[in-house]
Amino acid sequence: MKPSILVARAIFPEVLAQLREVFEVDYNETDGIFTPAELTRRLQGKVGALTTGSERIDAALLQANPQLKIVANMAVGFNNFDVHAMTAAGVQATNTPDVLTETTADFGFALLMATARRVTESEHYLRAGLWTKWRYDMFAGAEVHGSTIGIIGMGRIGQGIARRAAHGFGMNVIYHNRSRLSAELEAECKARYVSKDELLKTADHVMLVVPYSAESHHTIGAAELAQMKPTATLVNIARGGIVDDAALAKALAVGQIAAAGIDVFEGEPSVQPDLLKVPNVVLTPHIASSTIKTRKAMAQLAADNLIACLIQGKALTPVNTLPRQAL
Ligand code: GLV
């Protein structure tokens, strides 16, 4: 008999077909988001699950599903997992690193450009039929090339942004991270390590690429926004909760910073209502990794993790280490 798994959200049909060759698949075809109780129930009898950031895997769910062996997240971030509880329950957790690095870095840059150069704000103006004449300062934004970018979180995606900034746009790159990069990587990214305070005070553009944790919650709040230059832009492609969205909306409304580009939100898909009222923010619905090629690669890697773990006995990109006998 084939092992049973749950595919908790809609995925590419070709990836689903591969999973069906190997597993008995319970597929959430309608793509509705399960409540915690529904997810717990749908996992009954399943040894594996393919999830996205919308499925929370916690101790209560694990306790109700002691047969579960692996949960493969189709995302590089895994803050929807209680990894500690998963490890204690002997459940393998996997994510999808590497396959989305460059695509996500591209989008960070797209959002930076759109924010600094006021792309969506000016498009709304044009679409509203308000454009009647050219004007010398019309939608004058902030310079990107040659300016200083401050990157908070210098993992693989942060480094991808640093390379684009330094080599493509001649930007001065400063960064802050829990640990410093090696001298080789710093040289390759042309990036200089600084304190968070120095970064906030000196960057023309602040880019957030730090994983979400209790420690990184509200990395940018009212106090940090007050440290930034009034001409600065802020871009968040990291996770909702890294920025205090209510404080950001206030800072944007009073011109404490010039503009922001936000792809991830506290409590998404809900968006802090005050953010919707300010014109100087570019808002996108968590799409930084969303190209067809990359989303297919992410789905494929999540599926491959299920196959590698449940059929071959060893996950490809684990985020926790289990004692050998647990699998
Ligand atoms: C997307 O947000 C991811 O973590 O891959």
Side-chain angles (χ1 to χ4, degrees):
M1 226 175 57
K2 294 176 184 171
S4 289
I5 65 162
L6 173 69
V7 174
R9 296 290 308 277
I11 54 161
F12 294 96
E14 59 271 36
V15 177
L16 181 65
Q18 285 175 41
L19 287 170
R20 284 194 158 132
E21 280 175 25
V22 195
F23 300 117
E24 206 55 60
V25 178
D26 178 8
Y27 181 44
N28 179 10
E29 199 149 12
T30 61
D31 200 35
I33 297 180
F34 295 135
T35 62
E38 282 166 349
L39 181 60
T40 301
R41 197 172 61 246
R42 285 289 280 261
L43 278 170
Q44 296 290 299
K46 313 286 170 20
V47 288
L50 193 153
T51 56
T52 68
S54 52
E55 287 69 50
R56 171 114 194 105
I57 305 297
D58 60 15
L61 176 142
L62 294 166
Q63 208 175 9
N65 285 285
Q67 79 294 338
L68 198 58
K69 289 186 165 29
I70 172 172
V71 184
N73 219 28
M74 185 185 149
V76 66
F78 47 87
N79 54 303
N80 55 313
F81 286 177
D82 180 339
V83 176
H84 183 74
M86 291 175 80
T87 306
V91 174
Q92 185 78 76
T94 67
N95 68 342
T96 58
D98 301 323
V99 293
L100 49 63
T101 301
E102 297 303 326
T103 301
T104 305
D106 280 351
F107 190 82
F109 234 87
L111 205 46
L112 168 61
M113 296 295 290
T115 302
R117 298 302 307 274
R118 306 176 66 178
V119 172
T120 55
E121 191 185 352
S122 60
E123 186 188 347
H124 291 150
Y125 175 88
L126 181 151
R127 283 182 187 270
L130 298 171
W131 186 29
T132 54
K133 57 181 187 288
W134 182 94
R135 200 187 131 86
Y136 74 98
D137 62 350
M138 182 175 265
F139 291 105
E143 212 70 84
V144 174
H145 75 274
S147 64
T148 295
I149 185 169
I151 303 173
I152 299 186
M154 201 57 156
R156 289 163 285 213
I157 298 168
Q159 291 165 35
I161 288 165
R163 288 192 191 92
R164 281 159 180 77
H167 301 293
F169 285 77
M171 294 170 90
N172 172 37
V173 180
I174 54 178
Y175 77 99
H176 184 73
N177 198 43
R178 260 196 319 197
S179 50
R180 234 184 118 155
L181 295 184
S182 66
E184 286 93 326
L185 269 179
E186 280 191 352
E188 203 183 306
C189 297
K190 293 196 177 176
R192 186 168 62 85
Y193 183 83
V194 295
S195 68
K196 184 178 165 192
D197 282 350
E198 183 180 343
L199 184 147
L200 292 171
K201 283 182 196 147
T202 56
D204 298 306
H205 308 287
V206 174
M207 175 79 68
L208 302 170
V209 212
V210 70
Y212 183 82
S213 65
E215 192 192 328
S216 64
H217 181 75
H218 288 187
T219 294
I220 301 291
E224 289 76 15
L225 290 159
Q227 287 181 283
M228 290 172 64
K229 295 180 180 179
T231 50
T233 62
L234 174 73
V235 176
N236 184 11
I237 55 163
R239 268 293 179 275
I242 301 286
V243 174
D244 176 342
D245 287 348
L248 174 62
K250 271 195 200 127
L252 289 167
V254 300
Q256 192 172 37
I257 66 168
I262 307 292
D263 186 50
V264 283
F265 302 86
E266 288 191 285
E268 65 184 50
S270 296
V271 174
Q272 154 64 236
D274 292 340
L275 276 179
L276 298 171
K277 293 183 196 144
V278 285
N280 46 341
V281 61
V282 180
L283 305 168
T284 51
H286 201 148
I287 57 167
S289 64
S290 194
T291 64
I292 298 285
K293 186 173 168 207
T294 292
R295 286 283 166 91
K296 277 191 179 165
M298 291 165 68
Q300 188 66 56
L301 181 52
D304 288 347
N305 266 311
L306 286 165
I307 295 167
C309 176
L310 292 170
I311 310 294
Q312 286 126 25
K314 194 172 187 315
L316 303 174
T317 51
V319 299
N320 59 349
T321 307
L322 299 178
R324 272 192 76 73
Q325 68 274 19
L327 281 177

